[in-house]
Amino acid sequence: ADNENNIASNQPRSPLAVVEEKWKPQLQRNNTNNTSASGSVGNSAIPEKERQNIAERLLRVMCTDLGALSVVSGKEFIKLAQTLVDSGARYGAFSVTEILGNFNTLALKHLPRMYNQVKVKVTCALGSNACLGIGVTCHSQSIGPDSCYILTAYQVEGNHIKSYVLGIKGVDIRENGDFIHHWVQNVLSEFVMSEIRTVYVTDCKVNSSAFSKAGMCLRCSACALNSVVQSVLNKRTLQARNMHEVIELLNVCEDLAGSTGLSKETFGSLEETSPPPCWNSVTDSLLLVHERYEQICEFYSRAKKMSLIQNLNKHLLSNLAAILAPVKQAVIELSNESRPTLQLVLPTYVKLEKLFTSKANDAGVVSKLCHLFLEALKENFKVHSAHKVAMILDPQQKLRPVPPYQHEEIIGKVCELINEVKESWAEETEFEPSTKKPRAAGEATAAQEEDWFGKNEVYDYLQEPLFQATPDLFQYWSCVTQKHTKLAKLAFWLLAVPAVGARSECVNMCEQALLIKRRRLLSPEDMNKLMFLKSNML
């Protein structure tokens, strides 16, 4: 019994210390009711015996569900405890079960009201911005036989990208792409006005053809690069091309670095920033072995298992790592969640194409692999016109990453996009440049038409010198709004669209939703509302 009391009193003191400070003023507010209590206790608000009782009950909650550890330490739990204490101070001691009943039932009873309150805030946020459009990602996540879709909207607010989870839906195997498209359109119709233009970003599990009728649909760039690597390092492909040494190298790296997880725990991961979940883990094993080669050799020599190391082709490992490390770094850069990434897609393609071309001149198996990588890059890593326009909107890049013969084509894409949305711009005046004196109709027709399509503005912007330092893109465009009106509007729309659809926070949300579904604690509708509140309330 003493041992249990010691555990109970020591472990959760840090969150309770904060609660104690909040409880003290309550005793002072009710001086008439608590005079005798405060006199007997002295300076301590809660007797030690009562503190141990609370701690024991907290531990019981934690042991029931280990996920409650983070809940009990969080602000929301402290607010709940404070509310109960305040109610007790105001109305006297009462039985929680008798007065409040089942907490789960009580919370779900008020779920629709809270959902509607937050829904109004999200709808106002998505509709109040001066930008023309938003970015929307549709991500699919699977755990065992269960899977679900999560729909997230992105928009610039001030100089930052803000994301809103709009809906979560469990997936039925019988449902096709059109059904998911209708679900997406129904959800967006509740939050977004019809005139707001949308760019969709889907991962490899979501059928992008279902969204083509709704506007621009881009594929997740990390999924595309993952497809490039998988198509080349697929063991059947390698076997068909007699690249048995590559297959053997991949098998050895998996044994050394991945199968039991022991080596990863021993030597650590390669970097602090982890790539999105659609990245290839086989590549991680190979890069880990290359990076930690000396430590791994020492580890296995102590364990007297050097046979694995002896089977490792060190020369081929170094050459493959030199090819794959830039690919993985590109995935990490494209999946950055705090800064714009869409403008990096085309420069990434150009950079990797140059890398594979330069290595394709080497002798032996590396040359064959690089030719395969070049073919896979062209086939899987598709560059959309939105990527080209976004690249121009980066004042540090503009047209520099691409050869001169492509410049006119990309400038034409910018003007096409301006032309597509010019009717919406005509309705808004805050971004419109100051009016000039009208010329004679005959003289100015061609010039006005060209200026209306935005070509003059694009050329004026491109003639300005490149930024030497990496700029804050939204800060830059907010400063040149009056000078480059049409381009600024495009920038605040397109640069909010992420290059990667699968985000770490989205994956966590999907996993929690599927866990709730598996336990059958909530209906699908209540689950969707809870996930929505969790994402957008804070």
Side-chain angles (χ1 to χ4, degrees):
D2 287 340
N3 186 36
E4 287 182 6
N5 286 336
N6 286 335
I7 294 172
S9 61
N10 291 336
Q11 218 167 349
R13 278 200 178 196
S14 55
L16 285 173
V18 183
V19 179
E20 179 190 2
E21 295 298 321
K22 294 193 174 185
W23 282 346
K24 285 182 181 178
Q26 301 301 324
L27 292 171
Q28 295 170 4
R29 269 187 254 160
N30 283 324
N31 285 332
T32 55
N33 297 333
N34 297 318
T35 307
S36 58
S38 57
S40 61
V41 174
N43 292 330
S44 176
I46 306 175
E48 185 60 30
K49 186 176 181 181
E50 188 63 28
R51 184 186 293 274
Q52 290 182 4
N53 184 30
I54 294 172
E56 181 182 345
R57 294 184 183 281
L58 281 175
L59 282 175
R60 288 178 184 273
V61 172
M62 292 176 185
C63 292
T64 305
D65 184 1
L66 293 177
L69 280 165
S70 58
V71 175
V72 170
S73 302
K75 293 179 181 178
E76 294 305 317
F77 179 83
I78 293 175
K79 289 178 182 177
L80 171 63
Q82 185 65 53
T83 303
L84 293 174
V85 170
D86 290 345
S87 300
R90 190 174 296 113
Y91 303 110
F94 57 83
S95 166
V96 172
T97 342
E98 291 177 8
I99 303 298
L100 300 178
N102 185 296
F103 267 54
N104 187 39
T105 308
L106 179 68
L108 292 180
K109 184 179 179 181
H110 294 277
L111 179 60
R113 181 179 61 84
M114 287 190 65
Y115 174 79
N116 288 332
Q117 287 177 351
V118 178
K119 181 179 175 182
V120 168
K121 292 181 181 178
V122 173
T123 306
C124 291
L126 290 176
S128 63
N129 203 301
C131 305
L132 287 176
I134 59 174
V136 171
T137 59
C138 190
H139 165 64
S140 172
Q141 180 67 22
S142 300
I143 301 178
D146 298 323
S147 59
C148 69
Y149 287 106
I150 184 164
L151 194 69
T152 311
Y154 298 84
Q155 192 179 51
V156 178
E157 290 185 8
N159 291 331
H160 302 283
I161 299 176
K162 184 76 174 176
S163 63
Y164 300 96
V165 172
L166 301 184
I168 293 179
K169 178 178 176 56
V171 179
D172 192 335
I173 301 175
R174 295 166 295 179
E175 296 171 352
N176 57 19
D178 286 336
F179 188 90
I180 297 302
H181 168 71
H182 292 316
W183 170 71
V184 171
Q185 293 304 308
N186 288 337
V187 173
L188 288 180
S189 66
E190 295 182 22
F191 292 93
V192 184
M193 295 180 292
S194 57
E195 59 267 23
I196 299 290
R197 296 176 61 83
T198 305
V199 179
Y200 297 93
V201 181
T202 62
D203 65 12
C204 56
K205 297 177 186 175
V206 180
N207 188 359
S208 58
S209 62
F211 297 93
S212 59
K213 65 185 78 171
M216 277 193 286
C217 183
L218 313 177
R219 190 182 180 190
C220 168
S221 296
C223 289
L225 285 175
N226 184 46
S227 299
V228 170
V229 174
Q230 282 186 328
S231 63
V232 174
L233 297 184
N234 181 282
K235 291 181 181 178
R236 287 185 179 179
T237 304
L238 295 172
Q239 197 168 12
R241 296 176 182 271
N242 294 321
M243 297 185 186
H244 302 291
E245 61 268 47
V246 180
I247 298 175
E248 185 179 354
L249 176 65
L250 293 174
N251 290 334
V252 172
C253 288
E254 285 180 1
D255 292 337
L256 287 175
S259 58
T260 62
L262 175 66
S263 298
K264 273 191 176 180
E265 292 174 9
T266 308
F267 307 115
S269 58
L270 289 178
E271 70 288 307
E272 295 180 4
T273 307
S274 59
C278 48
W279 179 239
N280 187 3
S281 60
V282 176
T283 307
D284 283 345
S285 299
L286 189 143
L287 292 174
L288 178 66
V289 171
H290 178 261
E291 182 74 19
R292 307 282 191 258
Y293 182 75
E294 299 298 332
Q295 296 98 312
I296 290 175
C297 285
E298 184 180 350
F299 176 79
Y300 281 98
S301 64
R302 286 180 193 166
K304 297 181 179 179
K305 294 181 179 179
M306 288 301 291
S307 57
L308 281 173
I309 301 294
Q310 290 167 359
N311 293 331
L312 187 68
N313 187 334
K314 184 67 169 60
H315 178 70
L316 182 58
L317 174 67
S318 300
N319 283 319
L320 261 180
I323 296 171
L324 294 173
V327 179
K328 183 177 180 182
Q329 185 58 38
V331 170
I332 293 173
E333 291 173 1
L334 290 171
S335 61
N336 190 303
E337 299 184 17
S338 59
R339 295 196 301 269
T341 52
L342 198 69
Q343 79 282 3
L344 302 176
V345 173
L346 180 53
T348 297
Y349 180 93
V350 173
K351 189 191 307 179
L352 294 179
E353 187 181 41
K354 288 180 180 177
L355 171 70
F356 299 147
T357 304
S358 65
K359 296 285 185 181
N361 296 324
D362 296 349
V365 69
V366 176
S367 175
K368 293 180 182 178
L369 282 173
C370 284
H371 279 102
L372 290 177
F373 273 118
L374 278 171
E375 292 175 13
L377 188 70
K378 292 174 183 176
E379 184 178 347
N380 295 287
F381 199 81
K382 302 294 183 184
V383 177
H384 195 275
S385 59
H387 299 134
K388 299 175 181 178
V389 176
M391 180 194 69
I392 277 193
L393 297 174
D394 184 348
Q396 192 184 24
Q397 295 187 131
K398 295 185 180 177
L399 290 167
R400 185 173 58 176
V402 295
Y405 70 86
Q406 295 183 8
H407 289 186
E408 282 300 323
E409 177 200 348
I410 296 177
I411 291 171
K413 297 292 183 185
V414 179
C415 296
E416 283 178 19
L417 203 52
I418 290 175
N419 184 39
E420 284 180 19
V421 294
K422 69 178 186 293
E423 293 179 2
S424 302
W425 290 357
E427 298 173 3
E428 300 179 16
T429 55
E430 60 180 283
F431 270 76
E432 290 297 317
S434 56
T435 55
K436 298 179 181 179
K437 293 181 180 180
R439 301 179 187 176
E443 299 175 0
T445 303
Q448 285 177 349
E449 183 179 351
E450 194 166 287
D451 187 56
W452 177 246
F453 282 92
K455 209 162 192 177
N456 290 342
E457 186 177 310
V458 175
Y459 280 119
D460 290 343
Y461 163 70
L462 291 176
Q463 286 172 3
E464 295 174 359
L466 292 171
F467 264 59
Q468 298 304 315
T470 304
D472 183 329
L473 293 183
F474 298 126
Q475 181 67 37
Y476 169 83
W477 285 109
S478 62
C479 292
V480 298
T481 295
Q482 297 300 323
K483 187 177 181 182
H484 304 303
T485 309
K486 298 180 178 65
L487 287 174
K489 292 183 78 72
L490 274 182
F492 277 102
W493 169 28
L494 276 185
L495 296 180
V497 179
V500 174
R503 301 272 174 134
S504 56
E505 67 222 15
C506 293
V507 172
N508 294 334
M509 293 288 296
C510 286
E511 289 176 350
Q512 292 176 24
L514 291 174
L515 186 61
I516 292 173
K517 176 186 174 184
R518 188 173 295 175
R519 291 179 177 177
R520 296 181 179 177
L521 299 175
L522 298 170
S523 68
E525 185 181 355
D526 286 343
M527 177 190 73
N528 175 51
K529 289 179 178 178
L530 273 179
M531 294 293 111
F532 174 83
L533 289 176
K534 180 173 181 179
S535 306
N536 301 313
M537 278 184 70
L538 301 179

